[in-house]
């Protein structure tokens, strides 16, 4: 008993000296050797033990003190170890950054590859974005009407950035509208007949208009055989092109250039260079008045030949043409969907879908807008206008049955299915989709754009801005929107 008591007391003589000034008596014997071995065992932690007073030593057990000394040894690292640790940390950070950059580069390369693939398909005329399945009819309250023209609207175009609408009418005026606010930005007033020499602008019904793909130039054509070129931003008059021997019925800028194609009732196609204010060449082929024209980025244009019942694809560089037959009546409107496919409408009430590789329509819908008249003398509603959302499966047609009809093109443009109709009272003389596919614009009048066969008194001369609403992607989002 006595030896164990003295061993405990003599475990750390230095600490007890530092804590208390009273000397501790040492004893010889068995306890001495035990104490010496204990001191040897505790030598590595002597520095740590020196910092702790003898009071605290007697209070706490031995095991926790050893654990603390081990922890101290773990955290006490040499400068070389610290450098090594920091170097490893830096290398790990560099590795993480490289991985993140690699992921970003892969994402960007995938995006670029996707865009390039789309561009290649677009050039080949095989790009078909499936949009129609997501479209839903807008509410009547969501359709805006822009009023400003005194007489029926005959044609309109949307600026490439979708911010402005240019419209023209039988009152010979041109109005530039702001899409968002619906306000007039600029008005070019029409002049009276006989004032051509002193009036800057049109003095006859404007039948067609086009805007260049960069939004720089606006071109307008009228019944007086004139083509006017305007600066789109300011509506300042720039040039006047003369040369057609009949009313100018179709205009289109080649995408990405300032080359202008024009069509006329004189049955000719003319090519102009707007930058140089120059006439380039004339192409002939149609057997009757040309009623519509359209083009995209290839050096070619498509035309509707009216009562000669043909659609023609003109290869400008080769000065050659492809002739297509299919409609039973006068073909009054035409629009390209992509480089390989187009949509047409005729006064026999039919809407047809074409490929430039087939001489006959891929699909035709007869009586697309129904019929009017007595039971025995029913006549189909004329299709006065068509529009296509470029590189998609969505097209639209307009007549005078108070409806704008939206259609879905089948896989590879093999069919036409009706989507839904939008109530628009009056003659729908012009239709255009916005570039981004967010809205459809209809130019409406009380009369047909080419004549005065009927007059719908209940209709209003105006521009209808129709939003193209989409279905919510999934039920959860639908709940969130509600």
């Amino acid at each position: 008993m006595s030896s164990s008591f003295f061993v405990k007391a003599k475990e750390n003589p230095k600490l007890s000296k530092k804590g208390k000034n009273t000397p501790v008596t040492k004893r010889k014997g068995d306890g001495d050797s035990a104490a010496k071995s204990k001191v040897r065992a505790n030598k590595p932690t002597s520095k740590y033990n020196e910092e702790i007073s003898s009071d605290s030593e007697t209070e706490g057990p031995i095991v926790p003190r050893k654990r603390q000394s081990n922890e101290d040894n773990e955290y006490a690292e040499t400068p070389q170890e610290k450098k090594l640790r920091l170097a490893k940390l830096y290398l790990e950070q560099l590795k993480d950054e490289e991985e993140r950059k690699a992921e970003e580069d892969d994402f960007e390369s995938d995006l670029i590859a996707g865009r390039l693939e789309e561009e290649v398909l677009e050039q080949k005329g095989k790009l078909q974005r499936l949009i129609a399945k997501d479209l839903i009819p807008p509410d009547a309250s969501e359709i805006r009407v822009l009023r400003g023209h005194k007489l029926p609207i005959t044609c309109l175009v949307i600026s490439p950035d979708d911010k402005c609408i240019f419209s023209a009418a039988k009152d010979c005026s041109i109005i530039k509208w702001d899409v968002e606010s619906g306000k007039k930005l600029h008005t070019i007033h029409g002049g009276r007949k006989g004032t051509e020499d002193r009036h800057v602008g049109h003095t006859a019904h404007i039948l067609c208009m086009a805007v260049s793909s960069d939004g720089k130039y606006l071109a307008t054509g009228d019944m007086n055989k004139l083509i006017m070129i305007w600066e789109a931003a300011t509506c300042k008059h720039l040039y006047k092109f003369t040369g057609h021997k009949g009313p100018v019925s179709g205009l289109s800028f080649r995408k990405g250039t300032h080359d202008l194609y024009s069509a006329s009732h004189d049955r000719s196609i003319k090519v102009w260079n707007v930058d140089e204010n120059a006439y380039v060449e004339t192409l002939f082929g149609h057997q009757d008045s040309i009623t519509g024209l359209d083009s995209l980025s290839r050096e070619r244009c498509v035309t509707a030949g009216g009562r000669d019942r043909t659609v023609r694809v003109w290869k400008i560089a080769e000065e050659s043409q492809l002739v297509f037959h299919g409609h039973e009546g006068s073909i009054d409107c035409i629009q390209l969907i992509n480089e390989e496919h187009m949509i047409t409408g005729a006064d026999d009430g039919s809407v047809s879908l074409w490929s430039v590789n087939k001489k006959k329509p891929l699909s035709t819908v007869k009586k697309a807008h129904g019929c009017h008249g007595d039971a025995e003398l029913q006549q189909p509603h004329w299709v006065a206008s068509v529009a296509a959302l470029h590189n998609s499966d969505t097209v639209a047609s307009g007549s005078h049955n108070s409806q704008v009809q939206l259609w879905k093109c089948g896989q590879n443009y093999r069919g036409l299915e009706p989507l839904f109709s939008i109530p628009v009272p009056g003659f729908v003389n012009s239709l255009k989709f916005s570039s981004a596919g967010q809205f459809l614009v209809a130019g409406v009048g009380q009369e047909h754009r080419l004549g005065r066969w009927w007059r719908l008194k209940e209709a209003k001369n105006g521009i209808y801005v129709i939003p193209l609403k989409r279905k919510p992607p999934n039920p959860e989002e639908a709940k969130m929107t509600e």
Side-chain angles (χ1 to χ4, degrees), residues 92-103:
E92 283 176 10
Q93 286 176 351
L94 284 176
K95 190 180 176 182
D96 291 342
E97 281 179 19
E98 286 297 323
E99 285 176 358
R100 193 176 70 251
K101 279 181 185 176
E103 284 176 9

Side-chain angles (χ1 to χ4, degrees), residues 79-113:
Q80 287 80 7
E81 287 173 340
K82 188 175 182 181
K83 281 179 185 176
L84 184 63
R85 181 173 59 81
L86 290 174
K88 284 181 180 177
L89 191 66
Y90 179 63
L91 287 171
E92 283 176 10
Q93 286 176 351
L94 284 176
K95 190 180 176 182
D96 291 342
E97 281 179 19
E98 286 297 323
E99 285 176 358
R100 193 176 70 251
K101 279 181 185 176
E103 284 176 9
E104 287 174 1
D105 290 343
D106 287 344
F107 181 68
E108 282 180 15
S109 61
D110 288 345
L111 279 178
I112 292 164

Side-chain angles (χ1 to χ4, degrees), residues 49 108 352 462:
N49 289 339
E108 282 180 15
S352 290

Side-chain angles (χ1 to χ4, degrees), residues 283 299-301 313-322:
L283 302 169
E299 198 175 355
R300 59 166 62 175
C301 64
V313 176
W314 302 81
K315 297 180 179 180
I316 308 297
E318 300 166 23
E319 294 187 10
S320 64
Q321 56 189 288
L322 303 172

Side-chain angles (χ1 to χ4, degrees), residues 357-408:
N357 302 313
K358 302 278 185 183
K359 294 290 183 180
K360 297 285 182 183
L362 297 175
S363 178
T364 299
V365 178
K366 294 187 176 181
K367 297 179 183 177
H369 286 261
C371 298
H372 64 97
D374 298 330
E376 295 176 2
L377 301 169
Q378 276 195 346
Q379 293 291 321
H381 286 107
W382 295 2
V383 179
S385 56
V386 290
L389 184 54
H390 287 154
N391 301 304
S392 80
D393 62 344
T394 307
V395 295
S397 61
S399 183
H400 61 280
N401 67 328
S402 302
Q403 302 284 339
V404 169
Q405 181 68 46
L406 263 74
W407 306 87
K408 177 189 175 183

Side-chain angles (χ1 to χ4, degrees), residues 10-60:
K10 290 177 66 180
E11 193 173 13
N12 238 329
K14 284 185 183 179
L15 282 180
S16 58
K17 246 183 201 179
K18 195 174 182 181
K20 293 180 184 178
N21 292 328
T22 54
V24 180
T25 51
K26 289 183 183 180
R27 279 197 170 192
K28 289 180 183 180
D30 297 333
D32 230 5
S33 60
K36 278 180 185 177
S37 62
K38 196 80 170 176
V39 169
R40 277 193 213 102
N42 286 343
K43 264 185 184 178
T45 60
S46 60
K47 183 185 175 183
Y48 178 76
N49 289 339
E50 280 173 10
E51 294 173 2
I52 300 171
S53 66
S54 60
D55 293 337
S56 62
E57 176 204 358
T58 52
E59 287 169 9

Side-chain angles (χ1 to χ4, degrees), residues 210-212 214-219 229-232 238-239 253 258 274-275:
V211 67
S212 60
D214 61 355
K216 185 177 181 181
Y217 296 117
L218 173 73
I229 306 296
W230 312 83
E231 192 177 68
L238 298 174
Y239 315 123
F253 280 95
H258 293 145
V274 176
D275 280 331

